[in-house]
Amino acid sequence: MTTSPKQIRVLVVEDDPVAADAHVMYVNRVPGFTAVGKVHTGAEARRALDRTPVDLLLLDLHLPDGHGLQLARSLRASGHQTDVIAVTSARDLAVVREGVALGVVQYVLKPFTFATLRDRLVRYAEFRETAGEASGQDEVDRALATLRAPGPAALPKGLSAPTLERVTVALRDCGEGLTAAGVAEAVGISRITARRYLEHLVDAGRAARSPQYGTVGRPELRYRWVRGEGERGR
């Protein structure tokens, strides 16, 4: 892939193929960024970094062949200075602290929307553009503050975090998947509302939909939870 010298080159490291495709699509939608590839293991990431110049890793922390922070540690030890944005469903703050020590510049918690990732990437780009010698503490603080999000990313209009959590739990706990009507019954909301939340999870790469054919009428959509790291074997 040919890229402009000004483009920030991103390697997506994500073991789930559906999520990896979504992350590549999201990165390529942000001006100034291009996904130079996607890999699914730490070993593949090391080989890709040896072949292709990369500015930023979009890094899943739970990979089939080891923890993402182990990969970050080994890259630093071998001289790679690639920045890292961790994409994870883990909420262990001890892991966050360790990641900061290894140069992880941002954390994005799954499930997330395109708007959330876009915000983090834009802030990262602004941070990269800071150069020269700071005139004082205030300027150093302003440079670091560009990496900090002002608060939780807003959900699409009409959706609430508590209801999203209930829909997520209902879908995650049902291995065979659910229709919008099934989620509506489980959560206590209307079918139309349930479908809005389900489509949001699909857009975030945390659910997949497929048609369910009955005996008569149009097929109904069945939604299935897409497992992320920390959910293997559930």
Side-chain angles (χ1 to χ4, degrees):
M1 180 183 297
T2 301
T3 63
S4 164
K6 295 183 179 180
Q7 292 285 96
I8 295 175
R9 297 156 299 188
V10 183
L11 177 66
V12 172
V13 186
E14 164 64 58
D15 72 323
D16 185 286
V18 174
D21 288 342
H23 296 169
V24 168
M25 179 184 67
Y26 285 175
V27 168
N28 287 332
R29 287 174 61 187
V30 181
F33 289 83
T34 186
V36 297
K38 62 181 178 182
V39 295
H40 305 298
T41 69
E44 290 176 351
R46 291 186 190 92
R47 290 195 292 269
L49 288 168
D50 288 337
R51 294 192 309 266
T52 307
V54 172
D55 301 304
L56 178 67
L57 291 183
L58 199 59
L59 178 63
D60 180 10
L61 290 190
H62 285 262
L63 299 170
D65 56 349
H67 198 280
L69 292 186
Q70 293 175 345
L71 171 62
R73 187 179 297 106
S74 68
L75 292 176
R76 293 292 180 260
S78 60
H80 284 286
Q81 298 303 312
T82 306
D83 290 324
V84 175
I85 291 181
V87 180
T88 177
S89 59
R91 287 162 169 76
D92 186 344
L93 292 180
V95 173
V96 174
R97 290 194 297 271
E98 183 180 359
V100 170
L102 292 171
V104 174
V105 296
Q106 290 274 13
Y107 276 83
V108 184
L109 291 179
K110 297 178 180 179
F112 60 86
T113 64
F114 166 66
T116 298
L117 182 60
R118 178 183 58 197
D119 174 78
R120 301 307 190 273
L121 292 177
V122 168
R123 288 174 178 276
Y124 169 73
E126 291 173 353
F127 178 73
R128 278 175 58 94
E129 289 175 0
T130 58
E133 186 173 344
S135 60
Q137 184 68 50
D138 287 347
E139 192 166 341
V140 172
D141 291 343
R142 282 196 297 273
L144 292 174
T146 61
L147 287 172
R148 303 185 193 125
L155 288 169
K157 186 176 180 180
L159 303 190
S160 72
T163 302
L164 177 61
E165 178 66 19
R166 284 163 31 219
V167 170
T168 296
V169 169
L171 192 62
R172 190 171 54 205
D173 290 348
C174 186
E176 67 271 19
L178 290 167
T179 64
V183 170
E185 182 178 355
V187 176
I189 54 179
S190 72
R191 183 181 61 81
I192 294 175
T193 299
R195 182 163 185 176
R196 289 192 62 203
Y197 282 94
L198 290 166
E199 289 296 323
H200 170 72
L201 289 173
V202 170
D203 291 341
R206 302 310 292 132
R209 65 170 105 77
S210 58
Q212 174 181 286
Y213 294 93
T215 54
V216 293
R218 298 174 61 183
E220 192 172 8
L221 291 176
R222 178 169 289 271
Y223 296 83
R224 175 182 56 83
W225 180 252
V226 175
R227 293 186 298 175
E229 73 270 9
E231 298 178 297
R232 309 298 190 268
R234 283 190 184 180

